[in-house]
Amino acid sequence: MNNPEFHMLNASQTRRNAAIDALRAPCYALGITMAGFSTIARESGFDFWMALVTSLGVWGMPGQVAFASLYSAGASLFIIFVAVSLANMRMLLMVISAADMMHLKSHNLPLWKRIFWMQFLAITAWANLGLAQQKYPSHLLLPYYQGFALMIFAFGILGTIFGFFLSDLLPPDILRVVIFITPIYILLLIINARQKANRLAVLIGGVLSPVFFPFAGEWAILIAGILGGSLASLYSRFIAKWHLDPVQ
Amino acid sequence: MEDYGFFQSWAAVFCAIVGTIIWRIAGVVLASRIPADGPVMGWVNTMAYAMVSAVLLLILVHPTGVLATTGLDHRLIGLGAGLLAMFISKHLIFSLLCGISAFALAIQLV
C-alpha cells in the first residue's frame, strides 16, 4: 500500500509535505469554522481573550460550541466542565488511535512531549492521519502529523482571531457553504478508511446518531460511537472475519 | 441564569480546558499500555471512527449556527453528491468539490 517515493523522504521533508497537504483545502475550511465559533462566542458574551484561550486550550469544536452555549445560558462551572468533557470525550479514543497509527511508543518521547503534541489533535488531523497511513511508512507519520496538525492549528487560531472582529465580513450565503466544507471533508476521509471494520463503524455510527438524537440529545454521540464501534468490531471479528492489516 | 464576573468567566474557560485535556492525557497514558494490533486497539479504533462519524452526522442533520439556516434536504443532497463522487472517483478533493457544489446549487435551486 505504501508508495515507494514516500519512503525516501526524511522527517523535515515529510513535515513540509504535510503542511502543503493541509494548505490544499482543510486549513481554510477549518479557519472559517473556527471563525464561526468566534462569532458564537462573541454572541455568548465572551471577550476576545476568552475566545482565543478557549480555542488554544480546548481545540475541539463540539466542546467549544457546547461551552459557548452553556456560558450564554449562565450554567454553573460544574455543568460546563461535565458538558465539555462529554462533548470532547472522543479525544480519548482519537488520541489512542493516533498514537497507535504513529507508533508513538517507538519514538521514545517523554510523557510531556507526547501530551504536548496531542494537544494539537482534532478531528481533521486525526482523519488525515488515516489517509497518510496509506502512503507514508509508519516512522514518518509522527513528522507528518506534526506538519499537518500545526498548520491546521495555526489557521484555526487565525480564524478565531479574525472571526471575533470580522464575523460580518462574509455574506451569509457564502459563509454557510464554507462552513459545510469541514464536516463533508472529514466524512469523505473517514468513509475511505483503510480497514473495512472502520468503514463499517463510520456507517453504523453515522446512521445511529441522528436516530438517537431525539431521545438522547447530545448523548446520542456517545451512544452511537460506542454501539457503532462495538457492532462493527464484533461483526468484523466474528462474522466476516476480516483480518486487521498490520500497519507496514 | 447567573452573570459571570471576571474571575468566574476565566474559571469557566479553565473548566472547559481541563474537561478536554484530561482525555488527551488519559489517551496518551492508555495508548502506551494497549498492545498494538490487538483486539482492544481494533475496538478503540472502530469506536473512534463511529464517534467522529456520529458527531459529523449530528452537525449535518441537527446543526446549530449558520448551517441551521439551510434545509435538511440541501445538506443531504450535498452529502449524497460527495459520497457518490467518492465511491466512483476515489478522489478526495474532486469529491469534496462535488459535495460542496451540489450543496450550493441545492440552496439556490431547491
Side-chain angles (χ1 to χ4, degrees), chain A residues 139-159:
Chain A
H139 70 278
L140 287 178
L141 286 173
L142 178 63
Y144 185 92
Y145 163 76
Q146 290 168 334
F148 191 92
L150 282 183
M151 185 58 88
I152 292 275
F153 190 75
F155 271 77
I157 297 306
L158 281 176

Side-chain angles (χ1 to χ4, degrees), chain A residues 1-7 132-138 194 247-248:
Chain A
M1 288 285 268
N2 290 345
N3 191 330
E5 78 178 85
F6 293 107
H7 278 261
Q133 200 188 13
Q134 301 175 21
K135 293 185 192 164
Y136 289 86
S138 59
R194 182 172 156 190
V247 179
Q248 299 294 311

Side-chain angles (χ1 to χ4, degrees), chain B residues 31-91:
Chain B
S32 58
R33 298 182 184 192
I34 301 175
D37 300 330
V40 176
M41 194 55 92
W43 183 44
V44 168
N45 268 311
T46 51
M47 283 196 294
Y49 275 93
M51 211 172 275
V52 169
S53 171
V55 171
L56 296 171
L57 259 291
L58 222 50
I59 291 174
L60 291 177
V61 178
H62 301 282
T64 51
V66 191
L67 264 192
T69 61
T70 61
L72 177 63
D73 45 352
H74 303 148
R75 298 189 297 270
L76 291 182
I77 287 171
L79 172 65
L83 287 176
L84 189 68
M86 193 73 187
F87 282 120
I88 295 170
S89 73
K90 298 273 174 202
H91 193 280

Side-chain angles (χ1 to χ4, degrees), chain A residues 4-78:
Chain A
E5 78 178 85
F6 293 107
H7 278 261
M8 317 228 267
L9 300 175
N10 62 29
S12 56
Q13 287 167 325
T14 307
R15 270 186 216 108
R16 201 176 321 131
N17 273 3
I20 292 168
D21 279 352
L23 284 171
R24 288 224 166 96
C27 68
Y28 311 111
L30 197 97
I32 291 175
T33 306
M34 293 309 277
F37 159 73
S38 229
T39 315
I40 299 170
R42 193 173 70 175
E43 282 168 11
S44 308
F46 282 44
D47 67 20
F48 168 70
W49 293 106
M50 282 171 65
L52 180 63
V53 172
T54 301
S55 279
L56 287 168
V58 176
W59 192 237
M61 187 67 175
Q64 287 178 227
V65 172
F67 175 35
S69 7
L70 287 170
Y71 188 87
S72 70
S76 73
L77 297 185
F78 177 71

